[in-house]
Amino acid sequence: MAISSSREHLAEPYNAVVRDASASIVRHQVVERLWSKDYRLWKPEPTEITNRLGWLTLPEDMLAHVSALKTLAAEARKEGIRDVVLLGMGGSSLGPEVFRTSFGSKKGAPRLWVLDTTVPGWVRSVTKSILPARTFFLVASKSGGTIEVMSLFAHFWKLVAGTKGNRGGQQFIAITDPGTGLETMAREHGFRKIFSNPPDIGGRYSVLSLFGLVPAALMGLDIPRLLGRAGKMADRCREGRSVEGNPGVYLGVAMGTLAKAGRDKVTILASPPIDTFGLWAEQLIAESTGKETKGIVPVAQEPVLAPGMYGSDRVFVYLRLKGAKNETLDRHVEALARAGHPVLTFALRDPYDLGAEFFRWEYATAVAGHVLGIQPFDQPNVQESKDNTRRVLDGYQSTGRLPEAVVSTPAEAAAELAGHLHAGSYVAILAYTTPSKPLETAIRRLRKALVQQHHVTTTFGYGPRYLHSTGQLHKGGPASGVFLELVDRMTPDLQIPAQTFSFGTLAKAQATGDLESLQAHGRPAIRVMLGPTPAATVNAIVSRFGAPAARPRRQTVPAKRSSSRRSR
């Protein structure tokens, strides 16, 4: 049976659970207090809450920037700019990635490349795909000092400087908060434009701010139309008398209350043209709710399987785009509902309705934080991973070596994964490598095998991107995660200008720092080194499911000792 309209409310008995929680939401005036920016909705102290609620009025506030955005887009067309490369991480990159894949560039507008990695193969791939003299580079960082962004800037600044016909700083555009080091650097280097974003917006809530709108405008998107859709959703989210009449509150209460009841895996299904929306929602939900050993585990782009393969810890949300090839997902969603899984369906008329969904999910995540009793606007463990990376790099600069880590073979990794899994587990696959179709096909096989054989939830993220996305949940959220880290050989490597370390060394340091952080929090974490053909390594893991258990893991392996479990 085809799905022809939104089903924005859950079927019984799940809707009854939401209704029971709704009385408290209305009684405590959550909607009114959220719009008045009352920090006490979450915690008794205002720390990092009162300066993170500017996203509530972005659909209206950003209209003042439309003229400047149109001017920049017109300059790009007039000057024959063919490519725009966005250098950003987390909230600065995942929203633009949704725009890139869901809309594509309009006729006559440049292509957008989103570069949120330190893996040298990925950096080199984008570098080879552009004509530097006809490229704009967006340097996007809220803090203005993110190590990945600054390293990428150094690389492309040197590239442009060595290119015939370059225009130096006129090819660079900064997007940052007022008064950051990036703002100062942009002035010193003569950047074409500095977009100063409102400082009271966290990175993961910034898609409808200049961090998302500048790249969207350069692609040729209709910014007033996008903001208009978001504004209409914001108006609907002002309804305070009825939870069921407020789409943002309803989704937030549903996510929060069902998570407390054991259904803490929000699985996002989306029509193929808007499939990357789940990656953006992952970072929003994971980084906002994954703390104090609580949290909602968002799941994006997981292979679609029969309803009986899933555990009883799931909630499914389907974003259905009108006119897309939805037949397979429609059947799947109907089967999930018949099997008794909680399912919500949101209908989108066209990709511009993503503006409304961005706002709905931001609002819902803030409400879910209230329901869970956590502060959704900080990210303590993200800084922990940054500190670990810096410590590992400092050690490398002193000794010329990275710390050793226990490495498993594919067979050992398959057995170790199986040994850690139980009802309610999720497996996070974390890949420090360059994307490719064969690799992503192999990852899908691995995720499918894990769900089929163990009925667990799976997530997948590229490193170091996930450190600014789901990394907070991994360390601060529920202790139900099992982590498989896949690390590329990083050859050939690529030097970072004016640094004593390369992109490959930085990526390895980030992988090592995060592995150490996971282990310090008592999270099961397994490392596998990817060989010359990364897909083959992943397929080798899949092929060993069901094999006899591997020998117990050693805690350390001498650097030069001959062993199938090398230290890297």
Side-chain angles (χ1 to χ4, degrees):
M1 181 171 63
I3 296 172
S4 59
S5 62
S6 289
R7 296 178 183 175
E8 297 195 347
H9 299 98
L10 296 162
E12 301 298 340
Y14 304 110
N15 195 47
V17 175
V18 178
R19 280 199 306 269
D20 289 345
S22 299
S24 173
I25 296 294
V26 175
R27 185 171 62 253
H28 288 97
Q29 298 184 305
V30 168
V31 172
E32 294 83 355
R33 291 169 63 194
L34 205 165
W35 279 103
S36 68
K37 302 182 180 180
D38 183 354
Y39 63 84
R40 292 167 298 180
L41 268 178
W42 299 283
K43 292 293 181 182
E45 299 296 329
T47 307
E48 212 167 347
I49 300 177
T50 52
N51 63 347
R52 290 292 184 271
L53 293 169
W55 55 272
L56 283 163
T57 54
L58 280 177
E60 180 180 354
D61 296 343
M62 285 294 110
L63 291 173
H65 297 273
V66 168
S67 177
L69 293 172
K70 286 183 177 179
T71 298
L72 179 65
E75 290 173 357
R77 289 192 296 271
K78 182 179 179 181
E79 296 174 25
I81 297 300
R82 292 181 9 181
D83 295 284
V84 172
V85 180
L86 172 67
L87 316 177
M89 295 297 295
S92 301
S93 64
L94 289 168
E97 178 69 4
V98 177
F99 292 135
R100 185 187 73 83
T101 58
S102 301
F103 290 88
S105 295
K106 303 307 176 185
K107 186 176 180 179
R111 294 179 298 177
L112 177 67
W113 302 82
V114 176
L115 193 56
D116 52 357
T117 186
T118 53
V119 174
W122 199 339
V123 179
R124 185 178 285 104
S125 176
V126 172
T127 302
K128 290 180 177 179
S129 299
I130 63 172
L131 188 64
R134 296 180 66 183
T135 300
F136 277 174
F137 299 90
L138 305 182
V139 187
S141 172
K142 175 178 174 61
S143 68
T146 309
I147 189 171
E148 299 95 338
V149 176
M150 293 300 102
S151 297
L152 290 167
F153 164 72
H155 168 75
F156 285 105
W157 181 264
K158 181 178 179 181
L159 176 74
V160 167
T163 301
K164 183 179 179 180
N166 82 82
R167 288 165 290 160
Q170 286 298 295
Q171 292 181 232
F172 290 80
I173 297 156
I175 313 168
T176 189
D177 279 10
T180 65
L182 172 55
E183 184 182 67
T184 301
M185 184 191 77
R187 288 200 182 97
E188 292 172 347
H189 285 69
F191 277 26
R192 170 183 291 265
K193 180 75 175 177
I194 301 171
F195 284 96
S196 187
N197 206 56
D200 57 348
I201 302 166
R204 57 188 174 275
Y205 282 80
S206 66
V207 63
L208 294 171
S209 77
L210 293 169
F211 282 105
L213 298 183
V214 172
L218 285 166
M219 290 173 59
L221 271 64
D222 184 337
I223 301 303
R225 187 179 180 187
L226 184 74
L227 292 172
R229 300 287 179 89
K232 288 179 180 178
M233 178 60 73
D235 290 341
R236 293 179 64 194
C237 289
R238 289 182 180 274
E239 169 58 51
R241 294 166 296 177
S242 165
V243 166
E244 291 195 345
N246 185 317
V249 170
Y250 187 87
L251 175 59
V253 174
M255 290 195 300
T257 56
L258 292 177
K260 291 170 73 173
R263 289 189 176 268
D264 63 345
K265 315 296 192 307
V266 174
T267 304
I268 299 165
L269 309 170
S271 298
I274 58 172
D275 190 43
T276 55
F277 178 86
L279 299 178
W280 173 84
E282 265 190 333
Q283 58 98 31
L284 173 71
I285 296 169
E287 204 167 44
S288 297
T289 71
K291 56 202 70 169
E292 299 180 29
T293 68
K294 304 175 185 178
I296 298 166
V297 179
V299 185
Q301 299 182 330
E302 192 177 51
V304 172
L305 296 172
M309 294 292 101
Y310 301 113
S312 59
D313 55 350
R314 301 262 194 162
V315 177
F316 294 89
V317 184
Y318 178 25
L319 277 70
R320 187 181 191 275
L321 179 65
K322 183 179 179 180
K325 294 180 179 179
N326 295 315
E327 294 80 4
T328 299
L329 278 176
D330 285 351
R331 290 193 297 269
H332 179 60
V333 168
E334 290 291 346
L336 289 169
R338 287 196 303 269
H341 289 288
V343 179
L344 291 166
T345 299
F346 303 150
L348 285 72
R349 296 164 291 174
D350 57 52
Y352 279 96
D353 269 349
L354 287 170
E357 292 305 321
F358 286 136
F359 192 90
R360 183 209 303 258
W361 287 76
E362 288 173 344
Y363 199 95
T365 301
V367 171
H370 167 78
V371 173
L372 293 172
I374 56 93
Q375 203 274 66
F377 304 109
D378 65 355
Q379 49 283 324
N381 299 106
V382 171
Q383 186 59 48
E384 173 187 322
S385 287
K386 292 179 182 178
D387 293 343
N388 275 355
T389 295
R390 175 50 59 189
R391 177 180 50 78
V392 171
L393 284 174
D394 288 345
Y396 171 81
Q397 290 172 311
S398 298
T399 66
R401 299 178 61 187
L402 293 171
E404 296 176 353
V406 173
V407 174
S408 296
T409 66
E412 291 166 341
E416 290 166 347
L417 281 171
H420 286 298
L421 299 179
H422 53 78
S425 292
Y426 74 94
V427 177
I429 303 164
L430 312 171
Y432 287 79
T433 189
T434 305
S436 69
K437 286 185 178 179
L439 172 68
E440 294 188 352
T441 298
I443 294 292
R444 288 183 64 83
R445 289 187 66 225
L446 176 57
R447 296 180 75 176
K448 184 177 180 179
L450 287 163
V451 177
Q452 286 179 325
Q453 296 191 29
H454 299 283
H455 310 293
V456 295
T457 304
T458 67
T459 66
F460 170 62
Y462 283 106
R465 168 195 281 179
Y466 77 84
L467 294 176
H468 300 259
S469 172
T470 54
Q472 170 61 44
L473 173 80
H474 296 164
K475 275 86 73 175
S480 53
V482 181
F483 303 91
L484 175 63
E485 190 179 76
L486 307 172
V487 183
D488 197 279
R489 300 184 303 168
M490 310 293 173
T491 56
D493 206 344
L494 187 63
Q495 187 62 33
I496 301 172
Q499 291 287 0
T500 58
F501 51 86
S502 63
F503 277 106
T505 298
L506 175 55
K508 288 179 180 178
Q510 291 176 302
T512 297
D514 195 52
L515 188 74
E516 292 179 355
S517 183
L518 289 166
Q519 292 169 343
H521 286 274
R523 306 316 204 212
I526 303 158
R527 172 178 282 190
V528 173
M529 298 302 297
L530 295 169
T533 309
T537 304
V538 177
N539 284 326
I541 298 173
V542 179
S543 70
R544 292 305 298 256
F545 276 114
R551 62 189 183 276
R553 294 188 75 188
R554 291 184 294 275
Q555 295 302 305
T556 59
V557 178
K560 297 183 180 180
R561 181 176 175 179
S562 176
S563 170
S564 63
R565 305 175 79 188
R566 302 172 300 280
S567 292
R568 295 287 173 89

